[in-house]
Amino acid sequence: MSQTKAAAPAAAAAAPPTGTEAEPFDVFLAMRKRRMHRDFRPEAVDEALMERLVYAAGRAPTARADLRHLVVVTDPRMIASIRQVCPGWLNNAPAMIAVCTDTRLSDELIGPGGVPATLMDSGAAAAYVSLAAPPLGLGICWVTSWPEEAVQGALYLPDHIRPDILIAIGHPVAQPPLAPRRFKPVVHRERFGSEPAA
Amino acid sequence: MSQTPLPEGESVFDLACYLISSARLAMDETPRYGSLRLIVAASRLIAAAEAMEGVPPDDTLLEWKRSIDENLFKVMNQYPEYGEWLADLTRTVGREATQRNLA
Protein backbone atom coordinates (compact mmCIF):
# COMPACT_ATOMS: atom_id res chain seq x y z
CA MET A 1 0.00 0.00 0.00
CA SER A 2 1.40 3.37 -0.95
CA GLN A 3 -0.73 5.63 1.20
CA THR A 4 2.24 6.71 3.27
CA LYS A 5 4.11 7.70 0.14
CA ALA A 6 1.07 9.47 -1.25
CA ALA A 7 0.60 11.56 1.87
CA ALA A 8 3.83 13.51 1.43
CA PRO A 9 3.02 15.48 -1.73
CA ALA A 10 -0.57 15.97 -0.64
CA ALA A 11 0.61 17.48 2.62
CA ALA A 12 3.10 19.68 0.82
CA ALA A 13 0.30 21.15 -1.29
CA ALA A 14 -2.02 21.78 1.64
CA ALA A 15 -0.63 25.08 2.91
CA PRO A 16 -0.77 28.06 0.54
CA PRO A 17 2.71 29.40 -0.22
CA THR A 18 3.50 32.83 1.13
CA GLY A 19 1.87 35.59 -0.84
CA THR A 20 -0.99 33.61 -2.34
CA GLU A 21 -3.64 35.37 -0.32
CA ALA A 22 -1.95 38.76 -0.63
CA GLU A 23 -1.97 38.85 -4.43
CA PRO A 24 -5.48 38.18 -5.68
CA PHE A 25 -6.07 38.10 -9.40
CA ASP A 26 -9.04 37.90 -11.69
CA VAL A 27 -9.49 34.29 -12.69
CA PHE A 28 -11.23 35.36 -15.89
CA LEU A 29 -8.20 37.44 -16.82
CA ALA A 30 -6.04 34.37 -16.25
CA MET A 31 -8.36 32.39 -18.52
CA ARG A 32 -7.96 34.99 -21.24
CA LYS A 33 -4.19 35.10 -20.89
CA ARG A 34 -3.79 31.35 -20.71
CA ARG A 35 -2.40 29.63 -23.76
CA MET A 36 -0.03 26.84 -24.68
CA HIS A 37 3.51 28.19 -25.00
CA ARG A 38 6.27 26.41 -26.85
CA ASP A 39 9.03 29.00 -26.86
CA PHE A 40 10.50 29.85 -23.46
CA ARG A 41 13.37 31.97 -22.25
CA PRO A 42 16.29 29.87 -20.98
CA GLU A 43 16.35 30.99 -17.36
CA ALA A 44 15.31 28.54 -14.66
CA VAL A 45 11.98 28.84 -12.87
CA ASP A 46 12.34 30.03 -9.30
CA GLU A 47 11.60 27.33 -6.75
CA ALA A 48 9.07 29.54 -4.97
CA LEU A 49 7.10 29.88 -8.20
CA MET A 50 7.16 26.14 -8.71
CA GLU A 51 5.80 25.72 -5.19
CA ARG A 52 2.88 27.98 -6.04
CA LEU A 53 2.09 25.90 -9.09
CA VAL A 54 2.28 22.78 -6.94
CA TYR A 55 -0.15 24.43 -4.54
CA ALA A 56 -2.50 25.17 -7.44
CA ALA A 57 -2.36 21.58 -8.67
CA GLY A 58 -3.02 20.34 -5.17
CA ARG A 59 -6.13 22.51 -4.82
CA ALA A 60 -7.83 21.02 -7.87
CA PRO A 61 -10.74 18.62 -7.32
CA THR A 62 -9.93 14.97 -6.78
CA ALA A 63 -12.18 11.97 -6.38
CA ARG A 64 -10.32 10.82 -3.29
CA ALA A 65 -7.39 12.07 -1.27
CA ASP A 66 -3.88 10.79 -1.86
CA LEU A 67 -4.45 9.60 -5.43
CA ARG A 68 -2.60 12.50 -7.05
CA HIS A 69 1.17 12.49 -7.26
CA LEU A 70 3.16 15.38 -8.69
CA VAL A 71 6.70 14.94 -9.94
CA VAL A 72 8.35 18.36 -10.05
CA VAL A 73 11.30 18.49 -12.43
CA THR A 74 13.75 21.39 -12.66
CA ASP A 75 17.08 19.57 -13.15
CA PRO A 76 18.16 20.24 -16.76
CA ARG A 77 19.41 16.66 -17.00
CA MET A 78 15.96 15.33 -16.16
CA ILE A 79 14.34 17.74 -18.59
CA ALA A 80 16.77 16.45 -21.22
CA SER A 81 15.59 12.90 -20.53
CA ILE A 82 11.97 13.91 -20.92
CA ARG A 83 12.76 15.70 -24.15
CA GLN A 84 14.54 12.61 -25.45
CA VAL A 85 11.72 10.16 -24.84
CA CYS A 86 8.59 12.30 -25.26
CA PRO A 87 7.86 12.91 -28.94
CA GLY A 88 5.21 15.46 -28.03
CA TRP A 89 7.65 17.60 -26.04
CA LEU A 90 7.87 20.27 -28.71
CA ASN A 91 9.04 23.11 -26.50
CA ASN A 92 12.17 24.30 -24.71
CA ALA A 93 10.74 24.72 -21.21
CA PRO A 94 13.26 24.45 -18.36
CA ALA A 95 10.84 22.92 -15.84
CA MET A 96 7.96 20.51 -15.64
CA ILE A 97 5.32 19.07 -13.39
CA ALA A 98 4.17 15.54 -14.16
CA VAL A 99 0.65 14.94 -12.85
CA CYS A 100 0.34 11.28 -11.96
CA THR A 101 -2.19 8.94 -10.37
CA ASP A 102 -1.77 6.11 -7.89
CA THR A 103 -3.74 3.49 -9.83
CA ARG A 104 -3.42 0.84 -7.13
CA LEU A 105 -5.03 3.10 -4.55
CA SER A 106 -7.62 4.25 -7.09
CA ASP A 107 -8.59 0.64 -7.83
CA GLU A 108 -8.86 -0.03 -4.12
CA LEU A 109 -10.91 3.05 -3.25
CA ILE A 110 -12.99 3.64 -6.38
CA GLY A 111 -12.82 0.59 -8.59
CA PRO A 112 -13.03 0.64 -12.41
CA GLY A 113 -14.71 4.03 -12.36
CA GLY A 114 -11.52 5.41 -10.93
CA VAL A 115 -9.85 5.39 -14.33
CA PRO A 116 -11.97 8.12 -15.95
CA ALA A 117 -12.35 9.92 -12.63
CA THR A 118 -8.62 10.19 -12.02
CA LEU A 119 -7.94 11.21 -15.60
CA MET A 120 -10.46 14.04 -15.19
CA ASP A 121 -8.87 14.97 -11.89
CA SER A 122 -5.45 15.16 -13.49
CA GLY A 123 -6.89 17.40 -16.18
CA ALA A 124 -8.35 19.60 -13.47
CA ALA A 125 -4.97 19.80 -11.75
CA ALA A 126 -3.35 20.80 -15.02
CA ALA A 127 -6.05 23.41 -15.60
CA TYR A 128 -5.44 24.93 -12.17
CA VAL A 129 -1.73 25.14 -12.97
CA SER A 130 -2.60 26.74 -16.31
CA LEU A 131 -4.63 29.45 -14.60
CA ALA A 132 -2.06 30.00 -11.86
CA ALA A 133 0.79 30.49 -14.31
CA PRO A 134 -0.13 33.81 -16.02
CA PRO A 135 -0.32 35.87 -12.80
CA LEU A 136 3.11 34.50 -11.87
CA GLY A 137 4.59 35.57 -15.20
CA LEU A 138 4.93 31.96 -16.25
CA GLY A 139 3.81 30.06 -19.31
CA ILE A 140 2.91 26.43 -19.60
CA CYS A 141 2.36 23.80 -22.25
CA TRP A 142 0.44 20.60 -21.77
CA VAL A 143 2.23 17.62 -23.24
CA THR A 144 0.20 14.46 -23.66
CA SER A 145 1.90 12.64 -26.55
CA TRP A 146 4.37 10.19 -25.12
CA PRO A 147 4.50 6.49 -24.40
CA GLU A 148 3.53 5.88 -20.79
CA GLU A 149 6.37 3.41 -20.40
CA ALA A 150 8.93 6.00 -21.52
CA VAL A 151 7.85 8.51 -18.88
CA GLN A 152 7.66 5.81 -16.22
CA GLY A 153 11.20 4.82 -17.07
CA ALA A 154 12.59 8.34 -17.23
CA LEU A 155 11.01 9.47 -13.95
CA TYR A 156 11.55 6.17 -12.10
CA LEU A 157 7.82 5.81 -11.55
CA PRO A 158 6.69 2.54 -9.99
CA ASP A 159 4.23 0.51 -12.05
CA HIS A 160 1.21 1.63 -10.06
CA ILE A 161 1.92 5.34 -10.61
CA ARG A 162 0.41 6.35 -13.95
CA PRO A 163 1.68 9.55 -15.57
CA ASP A 164 -1.36 11.43 -16.90
CA ILE A 165 -0.09 14.75 -18.17
CA LEU A 166 3.22 16.60 -18.36
CA ILE A 167 3.05 20.35 -17.85
CA ALA A 168 6.03 22.15 -19.35
CA ILE A 169 6.76 25.35 -17.43
CA GLY A 170 8.93 28.37 -18.04
CA HIS A 171 9.12 32.07 -18.68
CA PRO A 172 7.59 32.60 -22.12
CA VAL A 173 9.27 34.74 -24.75
CA ALA A 174 8.08 38.32 -24.92
CA GLN A 175 5.88 37.99 -27.97
CA PRO A 176 4.64 34.44 -28.41
CA PRO A 177 2.60 33.67 -31.52
CA LEU A 178 -1.13 34.08 -31.16
CA ALA A 179 -3.10 31.12 -29.93
CA PRO A 180 -5.63 29.60 -32.30
CA ARG A 181 -9.00 31.25 -31.64
CA ARG A 182 -11.29 28.28 -31.38
CA PHE A 183 -12.72 28.63 -27.94
CA LYS A 184 -16.43 28.38 -28.78
CA PRO A 185 -17.93 25.08 -27.67
CA VAL A 186 -21.13 23.69 -29.13
CA VAL A 187 -23.73 24.76 -26.57
CA HIS A 188 -27.12 23.12 -26.17
CA ARG A 189 -29.90 24.58 -24.05
CA GLU A 190 -32.04 22.33 -21.92
CA ARG A 191 -31.61 19.34 -24.26
CA PHE A 192 -29.12 18.16 -26.84
CA GLY A 193 -29.74 19.37 -30.35
CA SER A 194 -31.82 22.35 -29.38
CA GLU A 195 -31.63 25.45 -31.52
CA PRO A 196 -29.60 28.32 -30.08
CA ALA A 197 -31.70 31.04 -28.55
CA ALA A 198 -32.56 33.81 -31.05
CA MET B 1 4.19 31.93 -37.46
CA SER B 2 7.33 31.76 -35.35
CA GLN B 3 9.73 28.88 -35.63
CA THR B 4 9.30 25.93 -33.33
CA PRO B 5 12.12 25.70 -30.79
CA LEU B 6 13.26 22.24 -31.81
CA PRO B 7 16.57 21.12 -30.33
CA GLU B 8 19.76 21.89 -32.22
CA GLY B 9 22.95 19.86 -32.43
CA GLU B 10 21.58 16.64 -31.05
CA SER B 11 23.38 13.36 -30.69
CA VAL B 12 22.53 10.07 -32.35
CA PHE B 13 21.37 8.94 -28.91
CA ASP B 14 18.88 11.82 -28.73
CA LEU B 15 17.41 10.96 -32.10
CA ALA B 16 17.31 7.23 -31.39
CA CYS B 17 15.37 7.90 -28.16
CA TYR B 18 12.93 10.11 -30.06
CA LEU B 19 12.38 7.63 -32.87
CA ILE B 20 11.93 4.61 -30.60
CA SER B 21 9.44 6.47 -28.40
CA SER B 22 7.66 7.71 -31.51
CA ALA B 23 7.45 4.16 -32.87
CA ARG B 24 5.75 3.04 -29.68
CA LEU B 25 3.49 6.09 -29.67
CA ALA B 26 2.49 5.53 -33.29
CA MET B 27 0.70 2.35 -32.21
CA ASP B 28 -1.75 4.50 -30.22
CA GLU B 29 -2.02 7.61 -32.37
CA THR B 30 -3.78 8.50 -35.57
CA PRO B 31 -1.74 8.51 -38.80
CA ARG B 32 -1.57 12.29 -38.86
CA TYR B 33 0.52 12.19 -35.71
CA GLY B 34 2.83 9.66 -37.32
CA SER B 35 3.35 12.23 -40.05
CA LEU B 36 4.14 14.87 -37.43
CA ARG B 37 6.67 12.63 -35.67
CA LEU B 38 8.46 11.90 -38.92
CA ILE B 39 8.61 15.48 -40.11
CA VAL B 40 9.93 16.56 -36.71
CA ALA B 41 12.53 13.80 -36.97
CA ALA B 42 13.57 15.15 -40.37
CA SER B 43 14.06 18.63 -38.90
CA ARG B 44 16.03 17.29 -35.97
CA LEU B 45 18.15 15.08 -38.21
CA ILE B 46 19.08 18.05 -40.39
CA ALA B 47 20.00 20.06 -37.30
CA ALA B 48 22.06 17.20 -35.92
CA ALA B 49 23.91 16.75 -39.19
CA GLU B 50 24.66 20.46 -39.39
CA ALA B 51 26.31 20.30 -35.99
CA MET B 52 28.49 17.31 -36.84
CA GLU B 53 32.11 17.82 -37.74
CA GLY B 54 33.02 16.81 -41.24
CA VAL B 55 29.49 17.16 -42.61
CA PRO B 56 29.49 19.86 -45.27
CA PRO B 57 26.82 22.53 -44.93
CA ASP B 58 23.80 21.96 -47.11
CA ASP B 59 21.71 25.06 -47.72
CA THR B 60 18.92 23.06 -49.29
CA LEU B 61 18.49 20.91 -46.20
CA LEU B 62 18.55 24.00 -44.00
CA GLU B 63 15.83 25.55 -46.14
CA TRP B 64 13.74 22.40 -45.75
CA LYS B 65 14.28 22.52 -42.00
CA ARG B 66 13.19 26.15 -41.90
CA SER B 67 10.06 25.26 -43.82
CA ILE B 68 9.32 22.30 -41.52
CA ASP B 69 9.76 24.34 -38.36
CA GLU B 70 7.42 27.02 -39.67
CA ASN B 71 4.67 24.70 -40.81
CA LEU B 72 4.63 21.56 -38.71
CA PHE B 73 2.01 22.73 -36.22
CA LYS B 74 -0.52 23.13 -38.99
CA VAL B 75 -1.10 19.43 -38.42
CA MET B 76 -3.01 20.40 -35.26
CA ASN B 77 -5.43 23.07 -36.43
CA GLN B 78 -4.95 23.50 -40.17
CA TYR B 79 -4.77 19.93 -41.40
CA PRO B 80 -5.68 20.61 -45.06
CA GLU B 81 -3.06 23.35 -45.20
CA TYR B 82 -0.56 20.98 -43.57
CA GLY B 83 -1.28 18.44 -46.28
CA GLU B 84 -0.81 21.03 -49.02
CA TRP B 85 2.43 22.27 -47.54
CA LEU B 86 3.77 18.74 -47.08
CA ALA B 87 2.80 17.80 -50.63
CA ASP B 88 4.66 20.86 -51.92
CA LEU B 89 7.71 20.02 -49.82
CA THR B 90 7.61 16.40 -50.94
CA ARG B 91 7.46 17.52 -54.56
CA THR B 92 10.45 19.77 -53.94
CA VAL B 93 12.32 16.89 -52.31
CA GLY B 94 11.64 14.63 -55.28
CA ARG B 95 12.85 17.27 -57.71
CA GLU B 96 15.98 17.90 -55.64
CA ALA B 97 16.78 14.17 -55.45
CA THR B 98 16.62 13.83 -59.21
CA GLN B 99 18.67 16.95 -59.78
CA ARG B 100 21.38 15.69 -57.43
CA ASN B 101 21.44 12.25 -59.00
CA LEU B 102 21.66 13.66 -62.49
CA ALA B 103 24.33 16.22 -61.68
Side-chain angles (χ1 to χ4, degrees):
Chain A
M1 175 52 62
S2 62
Q3 273 189 298
T4 305
K5 280 185 179 177
T18 305
T20 300
E21 305 296 339
E23 299 168 25
F25 60 89
D26 183 346
V27 71
F28 287 93
L29 179 61
M31 287 177 189
R32 192 164 62 79
K33 286 184 170 293
R34 178 211 67 77
R35 54 150 299 153
M36 295 298 158
H37 292 272
R38 299 190 186 280
D39 204 355
F40 296 90
R41 304 201 305 267
E43 63 259 37
V45 179
D46 188 80
E47 191 59 37
L49 295 180
M50 292 299 290
E51 283 184 22
R52 297 184 76 169
L53 296 182
V54 166
Y55 170 78
R59 293 294 299 180
T62 180
R64 300 291 290 267
D66 299 335
L67 297 179
R68 179 176 297 143
H69 286 244
L70 304 174
V71 182
V72 180
V73 179
T74 55
D75 184 333
R77 297 168 301 177
M78 293 298 293
I79 292 292
S81 296
I82 289 298
R83 185 192 303 278
Q84 283 169 332
V85 303
C86 294
W89 187 274
L90 295 170
N91 66 75
N92 58 356
M96 177 192 85
I97 296 175
V99 183
C100 308
T101 296
D102 185 333
T103 57
R104 191 163 62 198
L105 190 57
S106 172
D107 288 346
E108 181 184 317
L109 296 176
I110 307 175
V115 174
T118 53
L119 287 172
M120 285 189 281
D121 289 349
S122 290
Y128 273 40
V129 171
S130 301
L131 294 177
L136 300 174
L138 296 173
I140 56 93
C141 186
W142 291 17
V143 183
T144 55
S145 296
W146 28 265
E148 185 173 310
E149 304 90 337
V151 173
Q152 285 183 315
L155 296 182
Y156 287 68
L157 301 180
D159 288 347
H160 67 286
I161 300 297
R162 183 192 66 215
D164 292 330
I165 185 166
L166 308 182
I167 310 171
I169 299 162
H171 297 278
V173 296
Q175 291 184 314
L178 293 174
R181 294 294 176 193
R182 300 205 311 182
F183 294 124
K184 289 189 73 174
V186 179
V187 179
H188 307 265
R189 296 285 181 178
E190 314 304 345
R191 55 191 167 88
F192 191 91
S194 59
E195 293 293 324
Chain B
M1 176 78 70
S2 73
Q3 293 207 344
T4 309
L6 296 181
E8 303 282 345
E10 296 181 289
S11 66
V12 170
F13 180 80
D14 293 324
L15 290 172
C17 290
Y18 173 81
L19 288 170
I20 291 168
S21 290
S22 293
R24 168 65 187 85
L25 195 58
M27 298 175 70
D28 300 331
E29 290 187 324
T30 58
R32 71 172 64 184
Y33 279 97
S35 175
L36 173 64
R37 306 302 170 216
L38 285 171
I39 205 68
V40 168
S43 172
R44 292 171 63 164
L45 181 64
I46 293 169
E50 281 298 314
M52 289 177 185
E53 281 188 29
V55 177
D58 188 325
D59 290 340
T60 299
L61 288 179
L62 289 176
E63 175 58 26
W64 292 354
K65 173 177 165 47
R66 186 197 60 74
S67 179
I68 292 168
D69 294 355
E70 281 189 1
N71 289 282
L72 65 92
F73 280 114
K74 288 179 179 172
V75 76
M76 308 282 190
N77 300 310
Q78 301 166 271
Y79 195 52
E81 288 87 344
Y82 174 81
E84 291 171 13
W85 161 76
L86 189 52
D88 285 344
L89 179 61
T90 307
R91 203 172 291 115
T92 301
V93 168
R95 181 70 54 85
E96 179 69 17
T98 297
Q99 286 179 349
R100 290 192 183 203
N101 287 325
L102 296 180

